[in-house]
């Protein structure tokens, strides 16, 4: 399927904004009148999208889905996910039984420009508040967000491993979720890790230690049950500067010792069949991962009842018990999206279009007295 959308982004944005301008949630925004489709599309870079193509080919029991946005000039959102495709480093360190692997290039300057552009349109915080946030050290650290983010071209990654049958819960809450080990990796955060270590040296509740070429920052007190199964730590490798936030040092050690073991997992190899080896973004969900996501949604519905949002979420989730892989890749004249799933683009196109209206519906249903808080 092919569609020429040159110039349509502005009209689509204007149509959506015509609905939102009179929404109760927007009445408190002093600059709401400045929300116009053309300016919003320009800031988001959607005016550069000239055409869209979709294809779905049934291969065995799953569909090979491909989507391409023809955008010869990248701007806005199209700059956020970096430049040249790279191989996905986390795939070589993820354990065999990993349930979620996400890796994404991020151009921090593009993110900052996008947030600033939206703020100048009256969306989100004011430009002054945004600058104040950039120039203030986060928490009690001695580096500012501007020093951390400006010029940063990074890769963010997450590995999750779920232990079904071993649940944890928040104190006073009946909602439980499975014990989940995690590794969160962010390139270029060496300076932040050093700042945390300097602060930890002055805080009796945080401990810093040097061990086998690693700086390890951990709480100095043991977490109460059932959270004592976790040993959260911020870890920095001295030789490379690689920085990780982990559920426990032992899980990071397991990941570093995996050395490509994930390639032996049949569900993983089936999910990535035909996907390029390099890209700008990647997501993998194991059969257990998709099953747990549906189970969590079932708990939300049981507690709060069915709603429009849960119906849309159910439609957009990968099928429970089936592996799923998705990849984003910059090309010379646009961006390629590719996935392997048991559903086709054609069957979900209407659902995605419906889901795109969800933010408008949420705003329209917001109370008249609803207050929009500054998230920063």
């Amino acid at each position: 399927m092919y569609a020429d959308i040159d110039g349509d982004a502005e009209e689509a944005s204007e149509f959506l904004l015509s609905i939102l301008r009179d929404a109760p949630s927007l009445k408190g925004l002093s600059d709401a009148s400045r929300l116009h489709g053309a300016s919003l599309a320009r800031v988001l870079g959607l005016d550069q999208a000239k055409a869209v193509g979709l294809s779905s080919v049934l291969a065995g029991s799953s569909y090979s889905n491909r989507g391409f946005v023809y955008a010869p000039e990248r701007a806005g959102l199209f700059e956020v996910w970096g430049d040249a495709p790279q191989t996905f480093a986390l795939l070589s360190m993820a354990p065999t039984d990993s349930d979620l692997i996400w890796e994404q290039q991020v151009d921090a300057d593009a993110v900052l420009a996008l947030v600033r552009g939206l703020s100048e349109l009256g969306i989100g915080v004011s430009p002054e508040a945004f600058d104040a946030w950039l120039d203030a050290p986060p928490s009690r650290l001695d580096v500012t967000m501007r020093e951390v983010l400006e010029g940063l071209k990074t890769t963010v990654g997450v590995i999750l491993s779920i232990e079904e049958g071993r649940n944890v819960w928040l104190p006073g809450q009946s909602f439980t979720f499975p014990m989940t080990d995690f590794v969160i990796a962010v390139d270029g955060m060496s300076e932040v890790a050093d700042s945390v270590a300097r602060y930890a040296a002055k805080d009796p509740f945080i401990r810093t230690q040097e061990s086998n070429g690693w700086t390890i920052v951990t709480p100095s007190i043991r977490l109460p049950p059932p959270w004592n199964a976790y040993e959260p730590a911020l870890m920095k490798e001295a030789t490379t500067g690689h920085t990780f936030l982990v559920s426990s040092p032992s899980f990071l050690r397991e990941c570093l010792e995996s050395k490509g073991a994930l390639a032996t997992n049949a569900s993983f190899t089936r999910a990535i069949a035909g996907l390029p080896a390099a890209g700008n973004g990647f997501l993998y969900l194991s059969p257990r991962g998709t099953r747990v996501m549906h189970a969590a949604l079932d708990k939300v519905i049981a507690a709060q009842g069915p709603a429009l949002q849960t119906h849309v979420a159910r439609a957009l989730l990968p099928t429970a018990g089936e592996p799923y892989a998705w990849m984003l890749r910059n090309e010379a004249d646009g961006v390629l999206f590719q996935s392997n799933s048991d559903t086709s683009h054609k069957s979900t196109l209407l659902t995605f279009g419906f889901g795109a209206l969800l933010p408008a519906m949420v705003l329209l249903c917001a109370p008249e007295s609803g207050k929009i808080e500054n998230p920063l």
Side-chain angles (χ1 to χ4, degrees):
M1 185 184 79
Y2 168 85
D4 184 333
I5 59 170
D6 192 6
D8 292 336
E10 294 90 335
E11 294 184 13
S13 299
E14 185 60 40
F15 172 74
L16 182 59
L17 289 174
S18 68
I19 300 175
L20 298 183
R21 284 192 189 98
D22 294 328
S25 299
L26 288 180
K27 288 187 176 179
L29 293 177
S30 59
D31 292 331
S33 61
R34 297 171 62 185
L35 294 175
H36 296 290
S39 55
L40 180 59
R42 175 184 52 78
V43 170
L44 296 178
L46 299 180
D47 59 330
Q48 300 301 320
K50 308 302 181 184
V52 175
L54 296 173
S55 70
S56 297
V57 178
L58 184 61
S61 60
S62 64
Y63 286 91
S64 174
N65 296 310
R66 293 168 61 91
F68 184 76
V69 179
Y70 176 61
E73 300 293 331
R74 290 194 295 116
L77 289 171
F78 294 100
E79 292 184 307
V80 167
W81 48 74
D83 190 7
Q86 300 175 359
T87 56
F88 301 112
L90 287 192
L91 296 185
S92 64
M93 64 177 283
T96 307
D97 61 349
S98 298
D99 294 301
L100 181 148
I101 305 166
W102 172 63
E103 187 169 333
Q104 180 67 58
Q105 288 187 46
V106 178
D107 186 325
D109 283 338
V111 175
L112 295 178
L114 185 62
V115 175
R116 181 174 298 282
L118 292 174
S119 72
E120 291 172 351
L121 294 180
I123 301 174
V125 299
S126 67
E128 294 77 17
F130 183 53
D131 281 326
W133 176 77
L134 284 174
D135 293 326
S139 187
R140 301 174 185 178
L141 304 185
D142 55 9
V143 294
T144 68
M145 294 304 299
R146 190 183 299 277
E147 292 171 329
V148 171
L149 296 176
E150 286 191 347
L152 179 64
K153 297 183 186 300
T154 185
T155 299
V156 181
V158 177
I159 299 173
L160 298 184
S161 181
I162 300 169
E163 187 176 346
E164 285 186 295
R166 186 180 181 188
N167 290 336
V168 294
W169 59 89
L170 295 175
Q173 301 293 323
S174 60
F175 186 87
T176 63
F177 52 93
M179 170 79 179
T180 303
D181 275 312
F182 62 84
V183 165
I184 301 173
V186 185
D187 288 346
M189 289 291 107
S190 176
E191 186 177 0
V192 174
D194 291 340
S195 181
V196 171
R198 289 192 293 270
Y199 171 74
K202 301 178 290 185
D203 192 317
F205 296 103
I206 306 177
R207 180 179 61 213
T208 302
Q209 59 180 315
E210 304 290 333
S211 176
N212 298 321
W214 288 85
T215 300
I216 306 173
V217 182
T218 60
S220 58
I221 57 174
R222 189 75 171 174
L223 298 176
W227 296 94
N228 56 357
Y230 289 100
E231 300 175 45
L234 178 67
M235 303 181 62
K236 174 193 168 183
E237 188 176 26
T239 56
T240 64
H242 290 163
T243 304
F244 304 91
L245 181 64
V246 301
S247 57
S248 68
S250 62
F251 183 62
L252 176 59
R253 185 163 53 250
E254 178 186 350
C255 291
L256 294 174
E257 294 174 354
S258 292
K259 300 186 183 304
L262 185 64
T264 64
N265 184 306
S267 294
F268 173 75
T269 56
R270 177 160 65 96
I272 67 167
L275 298 185
N280 297 78
F282 176 85
L283 172 67
Y284 165 72
L285 292 169
S286 73
R288 180 170 56 191
T290 56
R291 186 170 62 248
V292 167
M293 291 175 69
H294 278 269
L297 184 58
D298 289 339
K299 290 182 179 181
V300 172
I301 294 173
Q304 302 179 5
L308 173 64
Q309 295 93 325
T310 56
H311 284 300
V312 173
R314 176 80 73 193
L316 297 181
L317 283 178
T319 301
E322 294 292 331
Y324 174 81
W326 171 92
M327 189 213 65
L328 174 153
R329 177 186 170 95
N330 279 338
E331 302 289 349
D333 53 358
V335 58
L336 170 70
F337 301 88
Q338 195 166 343
S339 67
N340 290 326
S341 168
D342 67 337
T343 57
S344 72
H345 280 315
K346 298 171 186 176
S347 65
T348 57
L349 183 59
L350 180 60
T351 301
F352 275 106
F354 182 61
L357 291 176
L358 185 57
M361 294 179 180
V362 171
L363 285 169
L364 287 171
C365 295
E368 185 82 22
S369 59
K371 181 181 179 182
I372 298 178
E373 300 289 346
N374 182 343
L376 303 180

